[in-house]
Every structure is written in C-alpha cells, then in structure tokens.
Amino acid sequence: MSTVKLSENNSITIPTEILKKLGLVPGVYLSVEELNGELVLRSIPPVAAAVANLAPTDAKSLKATISRKNLEVGIQFIKGIGPKLAAILGKKEIHTVEDALYLLPLRYEDRRQLSTISSLQAGQSAVFSGTVLSADAAKTKSGRSVFEVLLKDATGTIVCKWFHANAVWMKRTWKIGRVGVFSGEVSQFGYQREVHHPDVEWLPEGGDINSLLASDPANFGRIVPVYPLTEGIHQKAMRRIMREVVDGFLPNIDGVIPAELCPAEFPPLREALGQVHSPPSEALLADLNNGSTPAHRSLAFDEFFFWELGLALKKQGILQEDGIPFQVTHRYTKELVRLLPFELTAAQRRVLAEIKTDMMAPHPMHRLVQGDVGSGKTLVALMAALIAVENGYQVAIMAPTEILAEQHWHTIHRWCSLMGLEVVLLTAGLKGKAKKAALEQVADGTAQIVIGTHAVIQEKVEFSNLGLGVIDEQHRFGVLQRGILKKKGANPDILVMTATPIPRTLAMTLFGDLDLSVIDEMPPGRIPIETRIFFESRRTQLYDMIRDQVRLGRQVYVIYPLVEETEKTDLKAASQMAEHLQADIFPELRVGLLHGRLSPVEKEAVMASFTSREFDILVSTTVIEVGIDVPNATVMVIEHAERFGLSQLHQLRGRVGRGKDKSYCILMTTGKLSEDGEKRLRVMESTCDGFRIAEADLEIRGPGDFLGTRQAGMPDFRVANILRDGSLLEKARQAAFDLLESDHELNHPLHAPLHDELMRRWGKRLELATIG
Ligand code: ADP
Ligand code: MG
C-alpha cells in the first residue's frame, strides 16, 4: 500500500504515469485513517491487484469488502464538494458516499415532455424551451421589487418572475437572445400566465434542444429527482452532487445478498440504487412518489434482510446455548388452578402451553407474551414461575415502577403464601435491615420468587439459582436490562410481557429474536368501557356523574398529565386539583392524591387506602399508568387528554372496567385540539381494542415515534417503511432464516461478504460481536 501524507492545501497530486502503473482510473480510491496524530490517506486499489491472484471465492469476498470500503469515503472527496459544502451536507447527516447514496429523493417530477408555450396551463408543472425576449427589474403594484423575464417560442410568450432576486446578477445571466429549457409551476394572474422562479438549463451557443436532450441533462427530459435540502444548498447543486456520487460509486456496488434469496422481481442493489436516483424513463411517477417501484422495494428488502439476519443470528445463538430443561410436575401449578376463583381463559391456556414447551426444552426460553390491558398476563407469569419453583429454581419478576412491583407482590404473595412459598419484594425504597434480610434470602435461595423494580438487577443482588426471569411491560426496559437479568443466573429462561399491543410487523422487527405468544382474549364478563370526549363546558355534568357513581359505591380516578417536563409543576397541578376537588366540589367525598414524589412507602399506603375504599376519588399523575388493578374503580377521568399518546390513554383507561360493573372513561379536553390530538381522542372513543389502537397509533405517529423512544429498539431504516413495506419484512425475515438454515453461524466462506456487511450495519446495535 502506498502511504501518502496530507499536504497543506488538503489535497495530494499523483502523476498520471504512476496512477496508470497502478492500474487506476479517475475516481475516489482513498481511505483516511488517523495514525499517531496524523491523517494518513491510503490508496485501496493495490489490494485489488492482489485479488487477481486469489482463489475465486476469496476474491469475491475481498472485492466486496473493498467496494464497501469505498462507500465509507468521506463526502468531501467528491468532485465539487469543498469543506464548506461538506459541512452543509454534514448537517443532513451525509458524511460518506454511502450516506449520499442512500439519501433518497423526497419526490420526483415528470420533466420528460417539453410543452409549447401556448399550451401551458395554470396549475400545471411544465417544461418548455424558449428564447429570452426581455429581462429587467420591475415593481409590482404593491411596490415589491421583482425581476421579470419574457420568454418566447414559435407558439407564444410567457412571463417569468423572481422575487428577492439580485437584479445585477440576474441581468448578467438572463441575456436577451439566450435560449434555454425552463421548468416550473404555471400560474394565472388576470389574463397573464406566469412562472415563478423556474429552473433553467441554458443551451450552449449555437446548440439546439435535441443535442441538449441527447446529452442526458440532469434537470430536463427525464423524471427528475427532488432531494431533501438543507440551508445553503440548492436543488440543482444537490442533483449535481448526487449524480457525481451515483456515477462515480455505483459501479463499485455489488449486492451481497445471494440472488436466490432476493425476490426475482426486484432489480439487484446496484441497479436499484441507480434507478431511485435516476428513474428509467418508463418508470411510473406515482410508484416513484410513494416509494413502491421495484427499485425502492429492492432497497427496502435489502435493509430488512440485514436487520432480520441479525435477529435470526441472535436467535440461533440462543438456540445453541444450554438452558434448563424444566420438568412439569404440576405440584404448584395444579394447586393454584384449584385455588383460583375463576377458570383460565382459552388464550391463557394456549400461551401457557407454549411457555411450558419452551421451558422443558434444553435451551433457554426467550418468549414475548403480548396481551392487552386486563387480559391476565400476571397469572400466566405466575404459572410459569411455579414451574420453575417446582424444579427448585428461583424466579425474578421485574416491573417498571415501584407501585406495579408492589402490586405484583400483593397478588402473587397472596396465592403463594397459601401454598407455603416464599415471595420477596425488592425495590429501591427498601433500606437498612429489611434490605439486608431480603438480599440474604435471595442469595441463599430461601426467596423462591423475587419481585421488584430495577433493583432486581442491581450488582449486589445475587441469586442462588435463578431459573426464570420475567420482565413485565417490556417496552419500559431495553435489550440491555434483558441481558443483565439473564446474567443473574446460568442461562435462565426469559419471559417478557407487554401490554402495548404491538402490530405484528412491528413486533417482528423489534423483537424478532423472541418467540411471540399473544393472549388475544379477555377474561369473561367484562363490560366494554364507555368512552366520551368532554369539553370544558361539560365539567358540571362530569362532576354529577362522578357523584352518581360514588353513590353507587364505585371509585374514581382523575389523572393529570405532566403539565411541564418537571416533576414539580406536575405535582402542583395534580395536588391543586385534589385540593380543589375536595374543598370546592366534593366536600362530602374522600379525595386521595398519588404522585411520583411520594416515597415508595407513602405510595403504597395511598394505593392500599384506595384499594380498601378509604378514598372515593384518587387524583394521580401518570405514575398510575401501568398495571394497577382496583376492580371497584369504574370512572377514569383524564384531564388534558389531548396531551397523552394513544397507547398511554389506552393504558390509563385499562385501569377501569376490571370488575363486573359498567365503567366510563372521560377524556377532558380544551377546544383547541390539534389534528392529531383530535384523531387520537376519536380513536379512543371508537374502540377499546388495544390492537386497533396500536395500529392507529402507528399510523398517526409513524414507526419512528411509536413506543415513544428510539431506545425501545426501533432500527432506523433509510428506505424501508414498516407501514408501507410490511409484507416485504416478512419475506426478508423468511429469507434470513432460510439462509441460516444451511449456515447456522454464517461462517461459510461464501457468506463472508454477508457477514461483514451485517457487522458493519448492525453489529454494535444487536451486540453480535461474539458471533463469527
Ligand atoms: P394484565 O394483562 O393487564 O397484566 P392482569 O394480570 O392484571 O392483567 O389481570 C387483570 C384482572 O383479570 C385481574 O384482576 C386478574 O385477577 C383477572 N383475571 C386474570 N385471568 C382471569 C380469568 N381467566 N378469568 C377472570 N379473571 C381473570
Ligand atoms: Mg400487568
């Protein structure tokens, strides 16, 4: 490899003879590395020379690696891009050639046909050629300065206008007699048709239109891409840059997915990338604009494939680990079923059977149980826990909040104590002696089931023999916590539960390394919750309704949102509301208050009082959101409901309708609703089905925002769109799993390029470092 020092003016010059000797043609061949505080530019092609002497399979993989390397070339090395432009592009996260190649047009404009000037219609986006008849600065009637150009062709004339233009510069460009091709929106003012700020491509002097068109111009005579812009760069410049990148680097690109795994109707990666930037003239404009051309779909497939391949590999890894082959002795599970005042639903039984099969297998279970709010996941988790306990193993159950952990403890402790089992609660609030005692019980194995918050995975918590880890409300925890919990035992089984009913495609994307079970049935006898949107004007009516319900012996939640992003103001709003309700509205009723700043003991006390009906009304912040179970509560009032996300509203509503009485959810809101805000509330009004709500949520917010944050594990795809390309995701998943069928660890030499590309894209994200 020839090593070259970076010279002062940021460039290096290499004599042509040397380049020729090396077999180089113009293009970008450099990688930049830092070495001892200096930047070293290395040319890559000498490696290419070596390729010729290798065995064919090795050569193929090496070549692919080299071409990938080329994609990591900094964008500043592209012809016409200086440091300034590179900085501007950097703002759009375009740092390398690859970033640029995957910057897809926002939309496309059909500039295939030239129109005659006389045929131009208002409202039309048109391309036409013409000669400049006159060009000068003018004033509009309202006194705005404007630059006007009159253009003519054989059929007529048309006026073009620019506002805020530099007249001196414009006059220099728009010379009388100059001929060009123009493009823009035609509008009508009185009798006059005008085109504002048209794009132009000048004809060379003496040249004609046909020779211009034959030269394959970037801006005319074709379907033209329209790129997303950022301040400081114009569309035409962007097109020029993108063309430079596409023309210069596309030849280096070789798709690494074996052809037999790609759907036959899709063009290979290189052609697909070429076509999205420079659509063939027969492409369908509508398909281009909604990203559904074969080229777009090919790219989406490529993205999905690598993500799914990563997940599949992860899953293979788990399959190959040794786990605990539990035996189902029915000792405690049967007893619990006997103790329960109700029968398990068919869905609960089905999911339990799936869990049992997993637990009996000699490999660790990694299963996600999805079930709508109130579908009875806790019981399923408890049954699984009992299987582990029957086998002499410990179980850890992790919940996202203290209140929820405490509630799980209550439910589970109640049943387990009847069977003589030891259940320990471990939360951050636990202090001193009590904490020490709890930790000892966990460490010496006397605690058979350990329930808690994050406290469960703290470093100092040691289990004697953890056999099963249960994570409730998975979306509150990351993959990381799953990993830590796993390490608390020797490959324990893992069961994660989510009440966020994630649409199937999304669940597959996010948790593709988990097996999925769905509890798609509610316990019998639930009466649908009646949901209504109330504006401020109906507040009195709301209060009457609350009074009526309390008179019937029922209880009420009133929820306050985070008014501002600080707990303090949040608390203030809720506590003022509680005071106001108690003093001014319901002096005869008992109003309680729950918020995040109470200590765990205080929170517990408030919840216990509410459960035992010492309060009629519980005013709360969103700390109550997940899991709380008080069957006697029948009214859920959500103040400023428009400020909540759909899944949060659904979770909150799920706090009522848990008993045998009819329940109500009142969404209080002001008149000033945003479009999305109104949509959310209407969805809530129209359905209680968590899956339909989740689908609607995904539609309103888009996949990036769904589940609230990126930490939730959502991969950022550049082309693929989970909503639009859902069916492709399934294909890609199948292809990825098929591939691993024959090459479990992806270490066949032929698959080396695939392996490298996978690591390059997702290695870190999926923690695949140990594989291969
Ligand atoms: P979630 O899935 O939201 O965590 P829970 O596990 O809290 O739901 O269950 C909601 C309520 O339904 C609890 O009061 C629980 O005792 C009850 N429940 C669970 N399974 C059944 C069943 N098969 N029949 C009747 N009630 C049930
Ligand atoms: Mg629950």
Side-chain angles (χ1 to χ4, degrees):
M1 270 195 192
S2 48
T3 306
V4 188
K5 269 199 178 174
L6 183 61
S7 74
E8 266 173 284
N9 62 357
N10 277 350
S11 69
I12 47 167
T13 319
I14 305 173
T16 317
E17 307 91 281
I18 297 181
L19 288 177
K20 277 195 179 144
K21 242 183 231 160
L22 291 167
L24 300 185
V25 291
V28 177
Y29 287 93
L30 299 173
S31 79
V32 186
E33 283 154 45
E34 200 176 324
L35 201 76
N36 304 330
E38 281 184 312
L39 286 185
V40 178
L41 305 188
R42 273 178 219 277
S43 72
I44 293 164
V47 184
V51 170
N53 302 321
L54 292 170
T57 38
D58 294 345
K60 195 175 163 199
S61 98
L62 195 51
K63 245 179 166 163
T65 313
I66 293 163
S67 59
R68 292 285 144 186
K69 268 232 169 90
N70 277 353
L71 295 183
E72 281 157 28
V73 165
I75 195 75
Q76 68 274 23
F77 293 107
I78 301 300
K79 199 174 122 200
I81 300 185
K84 214 166 133 195
L85 207 48
I88 290 172
L89 292 169
K91 275 194 230 145
K92 273 216 95 59
E93 296 302 322
I94 298 171
H95 307 290
T96 63
V97 162
E98 180 175 21
D99 295 337
L101 279 176
Y102 279 93
L103 178 79
L104 260 47
L106 275 179
R107 59 187 177 83
Y108 297 83
E109 260 177 46
D110 189 351
R111 297 194 189 166
R112 284 175 292 195
Q113 299 298 328
L114 285 191
S115 307
T116 55
I117 287 180
S118 68
S119 72
L120 298 180
Q121 304 265 336
Q124 171 193 10
S125 149
V127 191
F128 55 95
S129 76
T131 310
V132 178
L133 268 189
S134 70
D136 216 339
K139 283 249 180 319
T140 63
K141 274 185 206 127
S142 57
R144 272 172 93 191
S145 64
V146 54
F147 193 86
E148 284 192 9
V149 170
L150 190 64
L151 295 171
K152 84 161 189 79
D153 71 359
T155 66
T157 61
I158 191 157
V159 176
C160 296
K161 284 184 177 170
W162 287 258
F163 302 95
H164 313 291
N166 175 337
V168 179
W169 187 86
M170 289 295 284
K171 273 185 111 149
R172 224 178 286 148
T173 315
W174 293 80
K175 284 200 283 254
I176 292 167
R178 215 170 169 192
V179 185
V181 181
F182 311 89
S183 139
E185 289 284 327
V186 183
S187 48
Q188 182 93 33
F189 292 90
Y191 294 112
Q192 183 164 288
R193 290 169 309 160
E194 299 178 356
V195 178
H196 297 173
H197 300 246
D199 260 9
V200 58
E201 192 107 324
W202 296 111
L203 254 55
E205 210 148 328
D208 61 40
I209 300 273
N210 288 335
S211 63
L212 177 65
L213 287 177
S215 74
D216 193 19
N219 299 298
F220 301 98
R222 55 161 61 226
I223 294 177
V224 176
V226 179
Y227 290 100
L229 298 176
T230 180
E231 202 167 322
I233 187 160
H234 289 293
Q235 192 57 246
K236 265 173 98 170
M238 196 70 185
R239 259 178 224 142
R240 188 182 46 69
I241 291 167
M242 292 305 296
R243 224 176 187 208
E244 196 70 45
V245 171
V246 171
D247 290 351
F249 287 86
L250 219 49
N252 290 332
I253 289 194
D254 269 320
V256 291
I257 307 178
E260 65 274 13
L261 290 177
C262 297
E265 67 272 27
F266 295 162
L269 185 63
R270 184 192 302 161
E271 279 85 84
L273 270 174
Q275 287 174 19
V276 294
H277 289 290
S278 180
S281 58
E282 72 280 4
L284 296 172
L285 198 69
D287 286 357
L288 281 167
N289 278 330
N290 61 30
S292 62
T293 62
H296 280 95
R297 288 172 64 74
S298 174
L299 296 179
F301 179 84
D302 183 275
E303 281 194 304
F304 281 152
F305 177 82
F306 280 102
W307 175 251
E308 291 298 332
L309 186 61
L311 293 178
L313 256 183
K314 229 183 146 179
K315 197 164 174 180
Q316 290 281 3
I318 294 163
L319 277 178
Q320 276 158 27
E321 287 171 7
D322 287 327
I324 309 159
F326 290 104
Q327 263 145 46
V328 179
T329 67
H330 298 298
R331 179 163 163 214
Y332 297 120
T333 45
K334 272 247 166 74
E335 200 175 336
L336 178 64
V337 170
R338 232 187 341 258
L339 288 169
L340 287 175
F342 47 71
E343 306 258 295
L344 293 181
T345 63
Q348 282 171 319
R349 280 203 304 271
R350 192 192 65 238
V351 169
L352 259 174
E354 287 164 357
I355 292 172
K356 270 185 199 163
T357 311
D358 282 3
M359 290 184 76
M360 290 164 78
H363 307 293
M365 164 170 77
H366 273 219
R367 186 168 286 277
L368 174 69
V369 172
Q370 214 182 65
D372 205 351
V373 181
S375 61
K377 293 184 295 296
T378 315
L379 196 57
V380 169
L382 176 54
M383 293 288 279
L386 292 179
I387 295 174
V389 172
E390 281 168 5
N391 284 263
Y393 284 91
Q394 289 174 294
V395 178
I397 301 179
M398 202 160 99
T401 65
E402 304 250 341
I403 295 185
L404 197 56
E406 281 152 20
Q407 186 181 288
H408 278 329
W409 183 81
H410 269 288
T411 315
I412 290 171
H413 177 257
R414 188 170 37 149
W415 298 117
C416 286
S417 60
L418 294 175
M419 298 185 280
L421 298 178
E422 195 63 47
V423 184
V424 163
L425 178 66
L426 212 60
T427 60
L430 208 57
K431 294 267 145 54
K433 259 197 201 144
K435 184 173 181 182
K436 203 165 157 246
L439 285 176
E440 270 170 23
Q441 280 184 292
V442 179
D444 66 18
T446 41
Q448 286 155 303
I449 299 181
V450 182
I451 300 176
T453 52
H454 281 88
V456 169
I457 51 170
Q458 297 302 303
E459 224 171 285
K460 51 193 182 303
V461 183
E462 273 175 44
F463 287 81
S464 145
N465 58 343
L466 182 66
L468 170 70
V470 178
I471 300 178
D472 196 12
E473 309 298 346
Q474 146 79 21
H475 68 288
R476 299 298 183 93
F477 296 106
V479 185
L480 210 63
Q481 280 117 339
R482 226 201 280 162
I484 301 175
L485 182 59
K486 208 172 137 96
K487 292 202 182 85
K488 291 281 174 192
N491 285 345
D493 281 357
I494 298 286
L495 188 65
V496 294
M497 305 196 291
T498 180
T500 312
I502 304 159
R504 194 176 168 76
T505 47
L506 194 55
M508 263 169 44
T509 327
L510 288 175
F511 311 120
D513 57 330
L514 300 175
D515 294 302
L516 182 65
S517 290
V518 183
I519 308 184
D520 51 6
E521 181 189 356
M522 285 290 177
R526 296 270 163 84
I527 308 167
I529 303 162
E530 190 174 322
T531 303
R532 300 227 204 103
I533 301 169
F534 272 26
F535 291 98
E536 215 34 57
S537 56
R538 291 174 78 180
R539 191 168 279 282
T540 329
Q541 199 183 333
L542 168 72
Y543 291 155
D544 289 344
M545 177 188 162
I546 291 177
R547 222 169 259 122
D548 287 346
Q549 285 288 310
V550 173
R551 206 169 291 140
L552 289 170
R554 313 282 142 66
Q555 289 165 283
V556 177
Y557 294 106
V558 180
I559 306 297
Y560 247 82
L562 241 85
V563 176
E564 283 174 40
E565 297 288 308
T566 72
E567 252 181 90
K568 233 181 185 162
T569 46
D570 177 19
L571 162 65
K572 201 170 146 211
S575 60
Q576 275 176 355
M577 183 71 178
E579 263 168 47
H580 168 67
L581 289 179
Q582 180 71 84
D584 312 326
I585 313 290
F586 304 116
E588 75 283 14
L589 305 182
R590 298 157 302 170
V591 180
L593 174 65
L594 183 70
H595 56 77
R597 293 193 128 207
L598 294 177
S599 74
V601 181
E602 291 167 319
K603 271 189 240 167
E604 166 67 9
V606 174
M607 272 324 293
S609 314
F610 190 62
T611 311
S612 59
R613 295 206 207 178
E614 285 162 42
F615 299 127
D616 306 297
I617 299 172
L618 184 63
V619 177
S620 172
T621 58
T622 50
V623 292
I624 205 147
E625 181 191 340
V626 275
I628 297 299
D629 187 26
V630 180
N632 191 52
T634 56
V635 183
M636 167 60 66
V637 180
I638 304 175
E639 297 280 351
H640 297 291
E642 75 282 355
R643 294 190 191 163
F644 292 91
L646 255 180
S647 63
Q648 213 179 4
L649 288 172
H650 180 62
Q651 285 286 338
L652 286 168
R653 180 169 60 183
R655 299 309 107 219
V656 296
R658 301 173 83 84
K660 55 193 186 320
D661 305 305
K662 174 151 175 108
S663 294
Y664 303 87
C665 174
I666 306 299
L667 306 170
M668 287 300 294
T669 183
T670 56
K672 294 170 289 195
L673 278 177
S674 71
E675 197 183 317
D676 281 358
E678 168 150 11
K679 259 193 219 156
R680 286 198 295 271
L681 300 189
R682 295 289 166 211
V683 170
M684 285 297 290
E685 210 179 26
S686 69
T687 182
C688 282
D689 181 336
F691 280 87
R692 280 184 51 201
I693 289 174
E695 301 273 4
D697 202 14
L698 188 56
E699 240 157 71
I700 296 173
R701 293 159 72 185
D705 270 350
F706 188 80
L707 302 180
T709 54
R710 284 180 180 253
Q711 293 109 278
M714 192 68 211
D716 348 85
F717 296 121
R718 292 177 291 201
V719 182
N721 173 328
I722 293 173
L723 284 182
R724 186 186 65 204
D725 305 319
S727 63
L728 270 185
L729 180 64
E730 277 167 61
K731 273 193 191 151
R733 180 177 174 78
Q734 194 56 51
F737 279 79
D738 285 352
L739 175 73
L740 291 193
E741 195 67 10
S742 63
D743 181 10
H744 293 307
E745 287 168 40
L746 201 64
N747 49 16
H748 190 283
L750 260 181
H751 294 151
L754 266 177
H755 181 278
D756 294 351
E757 181 63 5
L758 174 66
M759 296 311 268
R760 200 175 69 82
R761 290 202 205 176
W762 299 114
K764 273 200 204 113
R765 183 68 179 275
L766 288 169
E767 293 180 50
L768 292 172
T770 54
I771 291 162

